Amino acid sequence: MSKVVILGSGIAGHTAASHLRRKLSKKHEVLVVSPNRNYQWIPSNIWVGIGRMQPEQIIFPLEPLYKKKGINFKQAKVVSFHPDGDDSTPPYVVVEYVFGEQKGKTEKVAYDYLVNATGPKLAFDLTEGLNPGTDDVYSVCTYDHAQHAASGLEKLIEKAKNSSSKLKVLIGTGHAKATCQGAAFEYILNVEQELRRRKVRDKVAIKWITNESSLGDFGMDGMLLSYQGKPMKSSDMVEMVFRDREIEWILGAGVNKIDQGKAFYENLEGEHNTEEFDFAMLIPAFSGHGFKAYDQQGGDITPKLFKGFMVVDADYTAKPYEEWTVQDWPETYQNPNYPNIFAPGIAFAPPHSISKPRKNPNGTEIFPAPPRTGMPSGITAKLVADNIIDSIKSGKESLNHKGSLGNMGAACIASAGYGLITGSGVSITTFPIVPDYKKYEKTGGRDIKKTFGDIGLAGHWVKLSLHYAFIYKAKMKPFWWLIPE
């Protein structure tokens, strides 16, 4: 009998647990450890954040589902890693319960295989004053944050109805190294449409603020794509959308402080500026959770497992941007020091950014961290699960399932406004996620036949359909596994 422990119940963790339980016999234990009692379909937080969906439409409780499917569950957070075990226990993690009668108690949880799918820490603390729900600044990173944002947006709309002066909305990234520009992009377009729907658009100025050096970078160094059969840069596509919606923008901005309705930031020219707002939604930096790892004697071996996020089979050699290649990126998400530990999704430490690193004259680095959310999280979690399944069934290590972001594509449907008739979506398919400038040297590192974009109502229908399809999949309903990651 083997015991597989999955840390985290987001897209990566839940995907891994689902496939492990489906393909392993019941004599093997699958255990999920997560501080969250609910599963949430994060891409739909955007619609919760404008009040067009309620949290209960994008979440469901995990424990009843796991009990029904034969997956054990502990509502707890991991405290430390002990991959060598101790005198009486094989490899284990120490977890602390966060709910119920055992709240605050710690326990050793042993494992044969460990899947670290803890995702990121939402590092609001890295930007002074960036506290979601206070000082008119909000977040849509979780469903409760998004619900707060919807309340704040409603207050702004009511204020705009009675205001003689134009109000200001600021949406984008709230840190010089933040990622997840795509979520902010979706939110700004949804807010803009919601203001039009509520007939106050003419009373509100909307501005995009981002650490990207150009529009449409999205932490992926931008892309050349096919739009209506013709080549177009993603920067031109986003600019077209923003100009059509009368959205202004600030590029190369590293927000470092929020105070009394003002965002303080440094730009790539080294200038220190401020931007006022009446309502803001700023994505925070993502960081590792600060986990510690120890050997049998209690010695600190954290560097063997973590570089902020978890160390995997990537090339972490420090080298100039010009020497970066797609071969730097991991394929199996296995820790090189402990082959029974894996880290799919956002939990793995990237070898470097995807976008070109930039530093201003003050020495401040301002550029996006690499995105690993959504589709890549699901794909990497499934391949990790499949490798563990093969290893357990064969009785020896098997790493036949591989998938680097350098040879993996991703489809993104960015909501540009909610509504079955009035909605819109920006559909972008990218291949590969990490550009291969040698293989596709003439098309910006990507296969333009597989990298394309479109804008329109059909995109909204697709995104809404995916909302229901992936919640169906996450609930592990009949034939759920036929829906791709």
Side-chain angles (χ1 to χ4, degrees):
M1 170 185 162
S2 293
K3 181 177 181 180
V4 187
V5 174
I6 300 100
L7 306 176
S9 58
I11 290 176
H14 188 67
T15 298
S18 300
H19 286 287
L20 284 160
R21 184 67 290 161
R22 183 174 76 90
K23 294 183 179 181
L24 288 176
S25 69
K26 293 298 172 66
K27 70 179 182 180
H28 303 293
E29 181 181 359
V30 177
L31 167 65
V32 173
V33 177
S34 173
N36 300 314
R37 65 190 308 174
N38 293 318
Y39 177 85
Q40 64 169 322
W41 179 241
I42 294 174
S44 294
N45 283 348
I46 301 301
W47 293 331
V48 175
I50 58 168
R52 301 303 298 272
M53 278 193 175
Q54 297 303 311
E56 53 267 27
Q57 292 176 267
I58 70 167
I59 66 173
F60 60 84
L62 287 166
E63 192 166 13
L65 174 67
Y66 285 164
K67 186 175 181 179
K68 179 181 178 182
K69 297 295 182 179
I71 299 172
N72 293 332
F73 177 66
K74 294 180 185 291
Q75 193 177 346
K77 62 180 181 180
V78 62
V79 175
S80 57
F81 290 69
H82 303 261
D84 297 310
D86 58 27
D87 292 339
S88 59
T89 312
Y92 67 92
V93 291
V94 173
V95 305
E96 179 183 332
Y97 288 91
V98 299
F99 182 77
E101 295 180 358
Q102 298 189 78
K103 183 178 179 180
K105 293 182 179 179
T106 59
E107 177 185 337
K108 293 180 181 179
V109 176
Y111 61 83
D112 295 295
Y113 292 90
L114 182 69
V115 179
N116 174 19
T118 49
K121 173 188 175 184
L122 301 176
F124 293 102
D125 58 305
L126 294 183
T127 301
E128 182 182 347
L130 188 64
N131 302 312
T134 63
D135 197 23
D136 296 318
V137 65
Y138 297 90
S139 159
V140 291
C141 293
T142 67
Y143 62 87
D144 53 345
H145 286 171
Q147 192 171 32
H148 293 155
S151 298
L153 182 62
E154 183 64 31
K155 291 177 183 177
L156 176 89
I157 291 169
E158 293 303 315
K159 185 177 178 181
K161 289 177 180 178
N162 303 305
S163 177
S164 57
S165 58
K166 218 165 193 182
L167 303 182
K168 296 180 179 180
V169 165
L170 185 68
I171 294 173
T173 54
H175 188 270
K177 300 291 286 291
T179 186
C180 223
Q181 287 77 10
F185 176 67
E186 289 189 89
Y187 193 63
I188 198 170
L189 298 181
N190 273 267
V191 166
E192 193 278 333
Q193 177 164 304
E194 194 64 15
L195 294 177
R196 278 190 283 122
R197 189 179 76 88
R198 302 290 293 277
K199 304 187 185 307
V200 294
R201 178 65 180 90
D202 60 323
K203 295 186 176 183
V204 182
I206 304 178
K207 189 168 287 187
W208 171 254
I209 186 167
T210 179
N211 54 3
E212 303 161 287
S213 63
S214 63
L215 294 173
D217 181 289
F218 296 132
M220 298 190 296
D221 214 22
M223 64 200 79
L224 181 68
L225 46 79
S226 175
Y227 176 71
Q228 296 184 351
K230 297 180 180 179
M232 175 183 273
K233 293 180 180 179
S234 56
S235 57
D236 293 335
M237 173 182 270
V238 174
E239 180 174 343
M240 177 178 67
V241 173
F242 278 2
R243 288 193 184 280
D244 181 61
R245 302 283 189 104
E246 296 184 351
I247 296 171
E248 298 179 1
W249 58 85
I250 301 170
L251 300 175
V255 175
N256 50 48
K257 181 181 177 181
I258 302 295
D259 185 38
Q260 298 181 343
K262 290 183 180 179
F264 296 78
Y265 67 93
E266 254 184 278
N267 62 22
L268 284 170
E269 288 71 43
E271 300 167 331
H272 292 264
N273 297 318
T274 62
E275 189 67 31
E276 295 183 353
F277 60 82
D278 297 283
F279 173 93
M281 196 293 292
L282 300 174
I283 299 292
F286 289 0
S287 71
H289 292 272
F291 296 130
K292 292 289 187 180
Y294 302 96
D295 62 19
Q296 283 188 330
Q297 291 72 42
D300 191 333
I301 56 168
T302 301
K304 284 189 171 184
L305 266 69
F306 297 100
K307 282 174 58 73
F309 293 98
M310 181 164 272
V311 174
V312 292
D313 59 313
D315 183 351
Y316 296 106
T317 306
K319 48 190 170 184
Y321 168 77
E322 292 73 21
E323 296 179 16
W324 292 356
T325 70
V326 293
Q327 285 71 40
D328 298 337
W329 289 79
E331 291 186 313
T332 63
Y333 309 91
Q334 180 188 50
N335 179 265
N337 299 301
Y338 295 95
N340 61 340
I341 299 179
F342 298 82
I346 306 177
F348 81 84
H352 45 67
S353 67
I354 302 174
S355 297
K356 184 177 181 178
R358 288 175 168 85
K359 185 184 294 186
N360 72 11
N362 307 324
T364 303
E365 293 184 325
I366 304 175
F367 59 91
R372 308 183 298 289
T373 54
M375 190 173 176
S377 287
I379 292 172
T380 56
K382 183 179 185 299
L383 74 85
V384 162
D386 284 337
N387 281 331
I388 292 173
I389 291 162
D390 289 352
S391 297
I392 290 173
K393 288 183 175 180
S394 66
K396 60 182 180 180
E397 182 181 89
S398 176
L399 297 173
N400 292 325
H401 302 275
K402 297 181 179 181
S404 163
L405 270 64
N407 56 31
M408 181 190 303
C412 175
I413 311 295
S415 174
Y418 189 93
L420 288 177
I421 298 174
T422 59
S424 182
V426 179
S427 308
I428 298 176
T429 300
T430 305
F431 183 88
I433 298 169
V434 177
D436 189 334
Y437 292 109
K438 290 183 179 180
K439 189 173 183 179
Y440 306 108
E441 60 179 342
K442 295 182 179 180
T443 51
R446 295 188 173 90
D447 186 345
I448 199 167
K449 294 179 181 179
K450 299 178 181 178
T451 303
F452 51 86
D454 199 8
I455 304 170
L457 177 60
H460 173 71
W461 291 343
V462 171
K463 188 173 181 72
L464 191 61
S465 298
L466 291 175
H467 163 87
Y468 292 107
F470 280 105
I471 288 180
Y472 180 97
K473 178 183 176 73
K475 288 183 176 180
M476 301 168 69
K477 293 197 171 184
F479 303 105
W480 62 266
W481 59 88
L482 297 178
I483 300 171
E485 309 309 325

